[in-house]
Amino acid sequence: MTLNAESFAGAAAAAHPELLQRLHAAVGDAGLVLDPEAQAPYLRDWLGKWQGRTPVVVRPRDTAQTAAVMAICHETHTPVVTQGGNTGMSGGATPDASGAQLVLSTARMNAIREVDPMNNSLTVEAGVLLAQVHAAAAEVGRFFPLSLGSEGSCTIGGNLATNAGGIAVLRYGNMRDLVLGVEAVLPDGRVWNGLRALRKDNTGYDLRHLFIGSEGTLGVITAAVLKLYPQPIARATAWIGADSIDALVALQAHLRSYCGERLVAFEMMSQASLALVLEHVTATRAPLQGAHAFHALVELADARADGLLDLLEQSLGAALEAGWAQDVAICASTAQASALWKLREGISQAQVRAGKAVKHDIALPISAIAGFVADADAALRALLPGVRIVNFGHLGDGNLHYNVLLPLDTPHAEYTARTASLNRVVHDRVHALGGSISAEHGIGQLRREELPRYKSALEFELMMRIKQALDPNQIMNPGKLL
């Protein structure tokens, strides 16, 4: 294959044909995507909010090729945007419109290197899909608990880079809690091999946590050792209706005490959120008779089936007596449980059909949630009378998707202006209560300009010092996070 400037799209490529020759030597024909049509999926985020350009998409097949690519980019000061499954919610994996940023896709690094059921660990490369990890764990009678709607397309590298959350954080924690070791290529091409499958290693700074949640700004995660757990063989699921979010906060505290670690999920949605799903998602029906201000979807799971359903029934019976629940439906089959999960998982789809959502992925101390909701609801309705608030999320770990739904025909300029004012109302209140403006979606491009308002000057200084130490040429995912 003969390369020249005319073979590539973008002004940066035309200006630096020798860079492209070197990249080709590092990854070969299969490692370069040159055709504009073939590049298109890499240049737009899946929500359709951000569109970028690139001279070339590079797809290394392994860590060695990734290291070679990064050494070239470091030497030539070529900016790099690392991309996994491109399922992020904050634009963190999309290049900008300059046409100067190289996209480095980890999709070809998709090997499962080792399965160790005795150690309850699994070593995989960054491009392995989350669904493939689930399958590999199940083959040896184990379980990997990260659960996301995009599991068929999101990759482990992306999950790590954004510290993904999901519905099982209540019991198992975020992605940061599910990793024993990490391998990463530094911006200058050196490889840090931290693939230690240890649960105790008290030998200094825990460097893996620099890369987890860094959104590709410090290096390229190429592999990881993941924690495995016993495979749950029994589940018990219920839907609860409550008069207030205060009652649901009390209910989740009761269930955590009563059921212990068997409580895997405690998902919340407002009546307005449920109504959206029933209106816009086919083959759905209300799980309870009558309307309730708030609803919860609760699931217990265990490696033993003994008494799980009885435990759920007893705990919810006590909740009804205490007034924390007004009505309860306990599933008698897997099909019924799937129907309930469809209601929870259908909210995002329903929002797209019903309007233009201004989304807030926030985290709060659980004890502060009820007060926040009352205060924020009132403030938003004072700012925008008649506004539709779509409030749902992972109540068990304090993560709310507290969204404002504007009409579908809202002009873009008005949507942008409204977004800024609505964000201020919500995020100022979150910050005042010791919360976070990004619980599981990351900062990316979406929250980058807001972050300085809610991070102290010292926090920013420390983050920038780490960035400068690892990436002195400032080539890693520029314009994201920092």
Side-chain angles (χ1 to χ4, degrees):
M1 180 177 181
T2 301
L3 303 182
N4 53 59
E6 288 71 29
S7 303
F8 301 86
H16 301 287
E18 69 282 359
L19 169 65
L20 304 172
Q21 295 282 357
R22 294 178 64 184
L23 291 172
H24 177 259
V27 300
D29 291 359
L32 298 181
V33 180
L34 312 176
D35 178 72
E37 289 188 13
Q39 288 181 358
Y42 300 90
L43 305 182
R44 187 177 181 85
D45 76 299
W46 80 279
L47 290 175
K49 289 185 176 181
W50 293 278
Q51 176 73 48
R53 296 170 56 237
T54 187
V56 61
V57 177
V58 182
R59 291 161 41 96
R61 72 168 181 268
D62 55 27
T63 301
Q65 286 193 357
T66 304
V69 170
M70 289 311 307
I72 294 167
C73 292
H74 178 75
E75 179 186 337
T76 59
H77 291 241
T78 302
V80 176
V81 177
T82 306
Q83 190 175 104
N86 199 21
T87 60
M89 303 287 284
S90 301
T94 308
D96 67 15
S98 70
Q101 296 179 349
L102 177 152
V103 174
L104 191 156
S105 168
T106 61
R108 293 177 68 210
M109 290 187 283
N110 55 11
I112 295 176
R113 295 186 183 178
E114 183 183 18
V115 182
D116 187 347
M118 290 296 292
N119 193 54
N120 281 311
S121 62
L122 177 70
T123 304
V124 300
E125 293 182 343
V128 173
L129 300 179
L130 177 57
Q132 293 172 325
V133 168
H134 290 165
E139 286 180 3
V140 294
R142 298 294 186 267
F143 173 63
F144 184 67
L146 183 67
S147 180
L148 304 173
S150 58
E151 66 180 37
S153 51
C154 67
T155 64
I156 291 300
N159 298 152
L160 287 164
T162 57
N163 189 29
I167 62 174
V169 171
L170 169 61
R171 176 170 177 177
Y172 297 102
N174 282 33
M175 193 64 175
R176 187 182 297 280
D177 303 299
L178 302 175
V179 178
L180 296 172
V182 165
E183 176 187 83
V185 176
L186 302 183
D188 61 8
R190 289 179 294 169
V191 178
W192 173 61
N193 185 347
L195 293 177
R196 289 181 284 275
L198 303 175
R199 286 162 176 80
K200 289 186 175 181
D201 181 6
N202 198 10
T203 56
Y205 302 139
D206 197 341
L207 298 178
R208 62 185 160 161
H209 290 300
L210 283 178
F211 298 96
I212 300 170
S214 66
E215 300 188 42
T217 61
L218 299 179
V220 181
I221 295 171
T222 50
V225 184
L226 308 178
K227 294 180 185 177
L228 300 182
Y229 292 83
Q231 180 72 46
I233 63 170
R235 295 183 183 274
T237 308
W239 190 279
I240 299 106
D243 287 340
S244 69
I245 197 166
D246 305 66
L248 287 186
V249 169
L251 174 61
Q252 68 83 30
H254 161 70
L255 290 178
R256 294 191 78 166
S257 297
Y258 203 103
C259 303
E261 288 194 353
R262 291 182 172 188
L263 180 62
V264 174
F266 193 108
E267 298 292 294
M268 179 278 295
M269 67 177 72
S270 64
Q271 177 62 32
S273 303
L274 176 60
L276 266 186
V277 177
L278 297 176
E279 180 181 356
H280 293 282
V281 180
T282 59
T284 57
R285 66 182 183 86
L288 302 173
Q289 293 183 351
H292 300 275
F294 289 91
H295 302 260
L297 175 56
V298 170
E299 187 162 277
L300 308 185
D302 203 349
R304 296 179 57 186
D306 300 348
L308 195 65
L309 185 59
D310 290 342
L311 180 65
L312 182 60
E313 290 175 346
Q314 292 164 11
S315 62
L316 291 179
L320 287 166
E321 291 181 7
W324 300 322
Q326 275 62 57
D327 199 1
V328 170
I330 298 178
C331 295
S333 67
T334 302
Q336 289 181 0
S338 296
L340 295 186
W341 278 108
K342 183 176 181 179
L343 294 172
R344 167 61 181 86
E345 293 164 355
I347 299 175
S348 295
Q349 177 185 349
Q351 285 183 121
V352 171
R353 295 178 177 178
K356 292 183 177 179
V358 179
K359 298 186 177 183
H360 304 104
D361 166 44
I362 58 176
L364 290 154
I366 296 173
S367 57
I369 286 177
F372 163 80
V373 170
D375 184 23
D377 280 3
L380 289 173
R381 291 184 172 123
L383 177 68
L384 201 60
V387 68
R388 300 173 73 182
I389 299 171
V390 183
N391 183 12
F392 65 101
H394 318 299
L395 187 68
D397 57 53
N399 176 195
L400 299 185
H401 300 295
Y402 185 83
N403 302 341
V404 178
L405 198 62
L406 302 178
L408 271 173
D409 59 357
T410 303
H412 180 71
E414 181 182 345
Y415 174 82
T416 301
R418 292 287 189 196
T419 296
S421 59
L422 294 171
N423 285 350
R424 181 60 60 87
V425 168
V426 173
H427 290 159
D428 278 2
R429 283 163 173 77
V430 169
H431 181 66
L433 292 169
S436 168
I437 67 169
S438 178
E440 61 182 356
H441 293 166
I443 297 299
Q445 301 178 62
L446 181 65
R447 303 289 181 217
R448 182 191 62 209
E449 302 305 322
E450 290 183 86
L451 196 59
R453 182 176 176 85
Y454 305 109
K455 284 281 190 186
S456 70
L458 179 57
E459 282 181 287
F460 260 99
E461 178 188 338
L462 294 175
M463 290 170 66
M464 287 304 300
R465 285 189 177 188
I466 293 170
K467 169 74 169 174
Q468 183 63 35
L470 294 181
D471 182 21
N473 290 347
Q474 304 287 304
I475 64 171
M476 299 305 302
N477 214 8
K480 318 293 171 42
L481 182 58
L482 297 172

